Structures are given as structure tokens and as C-alpha cells.
Amino acid sequence: MKNVSLSYNERRFIELIFRQKSISRSEISEQLELTGSSATRIAARLMEIGLIEDEVERLGAMGQPRRPIAIAPGKVFSAGINFALNTIDVAIIDLSGKVVSVRREGLKRSSPEAAAECANQLLERMLGEARISKDDVIGAGISVPANFSDHHGTVLPNALFSEYDNVDLDAVFGKIMGLEMTIENDGACAALGEYYFAEGHRHEIFFLYHLGHGFNGGVMLNGRLYRGAHGNSCVTGVLFPYGEPRPTGTDLVNELAKHGMVLDDVADLANVPADAEPVVSAWIERAAGQLEQAVRIATGFFDPNVIVIGGRLPSDLMQRLTARIAWKTLPGPSRGLKVAPVMASKLGADGGAVGAACVPFFARYFPGSIENGHNNYSNGRRSSAGE
């Protein structure tokens, strides 16, 4: 099943079922504008290779059973890796739309090889506990706070991750983990996770701002992750130059340090001491003001249905920050235009790992990764295990 190639319409079939969880053949035919015979033929092939299955749903004691189609659970899995300076998050998701497990573990500041070893050991334990064979994992996505360089597979990371500069991370992780790896920046991963595992798929145009070590973004346009010419779209940190106040987790860590409250990393913001509240409140007020302008800019460029604020901040801080923006009536980007509604991420700090795990599914099974007949992930950002 790992190496099965799907047609464009088969991918559309899979994605629609993934979104709906359960749907009849007639509904699929109508929504995808396929003939009944085409839908039946596609369903038969996907059942033959084990990706989907029939469900029986009774309408009443005397009624005929309705036979919707669902993705077969427990057949295909994907892993996601997201790391900070001193922690690593690993997620396992099922193609049927279930988050199987998300786990965080401490990570010593070390080389990419050591990070890959830590991720592999954690994943192996998680698979064992869930009784999942590694052979059923089609691959792993890596969420990195980085942009892509012009060299094959290498990245230009956030300044805090200098050890990863111009390292072919997908090759390093692939060799150690024995999986096909797909690397993506953290903003794009967060957007994918929110789109497929929260409410993002209900909107045609969906934009996300990612607050973590840096300030990044991701956008889904009609089910397609917009990546740009080199995979570097939505580098929204350009709005807030380095060395100046920024609406990022790193910036809050630095503010706390100025007041004698030293944290090692953004991940430690979940354990901020109670006496830090005045500093946190002041930061939220300032960061919200910056995000108000960012929201107006995203509205002007993309006209999205919704803008989600996500990232590595703890959920309570994210909720406070988003609420500070949402209650205000912001001026639109132009005369007569309103800003898009703003909401906090539903996945919270798990969004990075869950979103990274979505990348292999997106690249292999969903039509949004296909543009003009070519896979957007065949551009040097993907490697096979051991290459």
C-alpha cells in the first residue's frame, strides 16, 4: 500500500472522505461532479487496495441500511516531528482522521543527528504502545523553524538553530529513522494540521499566523497549500525585523528574562511563574497590537474566510492573545472592507507535530499537492529512507 500510485480523482475521493469521515457514493458523485459509474469504479479500486471500506448505517428498525464509505481505520499511518531548543514533539496520525498519539520529550541542545536519534527512539516507543507496525507508517514530516535554501534539501533556520544551517535534514532523519521524510517549514505544517484536523477545511481560503521561535505563516487556497516558487511563501516575519519587538514566543521569553525570570526555551512558557503575570499581560497587549496590523495585511493580500493564530505558545496565552484582537473592530485594509475574523488554533501546541504528520498524507493522498500534473513535494524537499 505504501507504493501505490493514485490518480487525481482517486486523491479527490480520499480527501473528501477524510474531511467528511463518512459519505455515500451518491454524495461523492455529486460533490466531485463524477458519474455514478466513475464513483463506483474508483470506490472499488480504493477498497481493493485497502484504503476505504463500506460502513453500515441503519436509518431505523424497518429501514434499509445506508452504506456510506469511510477510510479504513488502522491501515495507514503517518508520523510528524516538531522540535524546539530543548524539546521534541512526535505525533502519529491515522489516515482515517484520528490523532493516535502526541508525545513530547526533552532534547539536549545537540546536532541534527542526535535530534533524529531522539525522535526515532520516541517514535519507536509510541508505535510499540499503540501496537502499530513501522511498515504501516508511510513516512514522516519534519516541521522546522526555517526557510529553504537554493541547495538541494537544505534549510536556512531561525538564528537560534545554527547547527541546522544548510543541513539536509530530510536525508539525516531519513537515514536514522528508516522512513521517507518530507521537510516543511513550521508555518505551513501548522496550517495543514489546522486545515485537516480542526475547522480549516470548512473554509475555501484559510490563513494561519504561527507564533513560535519566529513569526511565520501558512495559507490554504481551495484545498491547496500555497508554497511559493521555492517553498518559502508566507515568510511573515519580514513584518517585524530581528532586533525589534516581535509577536513571537522567543520575544516573550526575552521579555521575561529582562525581569529576572529566565526560561530555556519557548516550550517552557507552559510553566511561567505566577509572579510573571504583569510581564505577560504587558507583552500580550503589545503583541496583540502588532498582530492587529498583521491581520489587516493578511486580509488585504488573501481575503481569507478566517485567520487562525497558532504556534508554540500555551493554549491559555494563545486564547488571551486572540481574544484581545477579536473583540476590537479593526479598520479594514481598504475602504469598505472588513478584516477577516480571527480565532485561536484548536490544536494548540500540538499543531506543529500533528501538522507535520499531515505532510506525508497531503503529498501522497490529497489532490492539493498536485499542480499542473506535478507533485509539489517532488522539488528536492523529500527523500527516501537511507538516501
Side-chain angles (χ1 to χ4, degrees), residues 57-220:
E57 181 182 282
R58 290 204 171 273
L59 301 178
M62 302 298 293
Q64 291 295 317
R66 176 176 175 266
R67 301 189 70 86
I69 301 172
I71 292 177
K75 299 289 186 181
V76 181
F77 301 89
S78 176
I81 301 164
N82 184 37
F83 50 84
L85 290 176
N86 62 7
T87 60
I88 193 161
D89 297 346
V90 174
I92 301 172
I93 63 174
D94 187 322
L95 186 59
S96 67
K98 176 184 178 183
V99 177
V100 177
S101 179
V102 182
R103 193 77 60 80
R104 173 172 291 181
E105 190 160 290
L107 175 67
K108 293 181 179 179
R109 184 68 179 272
S110 56
S111 67
E113 289 80 7
E117 290 283 1
C118 180
N120 188 51
Q121 292 172 14
L122 180 54
L123 177 61
E124 294 277 6
R125 291 201 304 273
M126 293 166 66
L127 290 172
E129 292 169 5
R131 298 184 178 180
I132 297 171
S133 169
K134 203 170 187 178
D135 290 338
D136 293 327
V137 180
I138 67 163
I142 311 174
S143 170
V144 293
N147 301 316
F148 295 112
S149 75
D150 293 333
H151 304 293
H152 176 84
T154 61
V155 297
L156 301 172
N158 181 287
L160 295 172
F161 294 83
S162 58
E163 309 95 309
Y164 296 80
D165 198 26
N166 282 314
V167 173
D168 192 347
L169 288 183
D170 46 2
V172 170
F173 276 74
K175 181 177 181 180
I176 291 173
M177 300 189 72
L179 291 170
E180 185 176 85
M181 311 300 297
T182 312
I183 190 169
E184 189 54 88
N185 69 58
D186 52 7
C189 285
L192 279 173
E194 205 72 25
Y195 187 79
Y196 285 112
F197 278 88
E199 301 297 318
H201 63 271
R202 300 184 185 278
H203 307 288
E204 290 184 1
I205 312 297
F206 166 76
F207 191 91
L208 179 141
Y209 277 121
H210 182 271
L211 283 60
H213 295 95
F215 183 70
N216 214 337
V219 62
M220 299 292 294

Side-chain angles (χ1 to χ4, degrees), residues 332-384:
S334 185
R335 181 177 179 273
L337 299 182
K338 296 181 179 179
V339 296
V342 179
M343 61 184 292
S345 164
K346 292 185 178 297
L347 296 178
D350 289 342
V354 171
C358 286
V359 174
F361 282 166
F362 181 77
R364 183 181 294 268
Y365 295 123
F366 300 151
S369 66
I370 300 294
E371 192 71 58
N372 299 323
H374 298 285
N375 192 312
N376 286 339
Y377 285 93
S378 61
N379 61 354
R381 310 308 181 195
R382 185 179 181 185
S383 71
S384 298

Side-chain angles (χ1 to χ4, degrees), residues 166-379:
N166 282 314
V167 173
D168 192 347
L169 288 183
D170 46 2
V172 170
F173 276 74
K175 181 177 181 180
I176 291 173
M177 300 189 72
L179 291 170
E180 185 176 85
M181 311 300 297
T182 312
I183 190 169
E184 189 54 88
N185 69 58
D186 52 7
C189 285
L192 279 173
E194 205 72 25
Y195 187 79
Y196 285 112
F197 278 88
E199 301 297 318
H201 63 271
R202 300 184 185 278
H203 307 288
E204 290 184 1
I205 312 297
F206 166 76
F207 191 91
L208 179 141
Y209 277 121
H210 182 271
L211 283 60
H213 295 95
F215 183 70
N216 214 337
V219 62
M220 299 292 294
L221 305 176
N222 299 314
R224 296 178 183 274
L225 175 66
Y226 181 70
R227 304 186 71 249
H230 307 97
N232 293 324
S233 67
C234 300
V235 184
T236 52
V238 69
L239 299 174
F240 307 104
Y242 285 111
E244 298 180 13
R246 315 178 84 208
T248 69
T250 297
D251 187 75
L252 177 54
V253 169
N254 292 338
E255 285 298 308
L256 290 166
K258 291 177 184 177
H259 292 80
M261 305 170 194
V262 178
L263 302 178
D264 290 334
D265 188 24
V266 172
D268 298 326
L269 288 170
N271 301 308
V272 173
D275 57 355
E277 177 56 31
V279 179
V280 173
S281 294
W283 181 86
I284 287 175
E285 185 69 17
R286 188 259 293 164
Q290 293 177 306
L291 286 174
E292 289 171 4
Q293 181 66 7
V295 164
R296 295 180 67 240
I297 290 171
T299 299
F301 273 95
F302 292 101
D303 188 24
N305 299 95
V306 65
I307 296 173
V308 171
I309 309 297
R312 297 195 64 90
L313 293 182
S315 292
D316 61 331
L317 291 183
M318 197 69 72
Q319 291 287 348
R320 290 173 61 185
L321 183 60
T322 307
R324 168 63 179 72
I325 302 169
W327 70 267
K328 296 188 67 175
T329 302
L330 302 178
S334 185
R335 181 177 179 273
L337 299 182
K338 296 181 179 179
V339 296
V342 179
M343 61 184 292
S345 164
K346 292 185 178 297
L347 296 178
D350 289 342
V354 171
C358 286
V359 174
F361 282 166
F362 181 77
R364 183 181 294 268
Y365 295 123
F366 300 151
S369 66
I370 300 294
E371 192 71 58
N372 299 323
H374 298 285
N375 192 312
N376 286 339
Y377 285 93
S378 61
N379 61 354

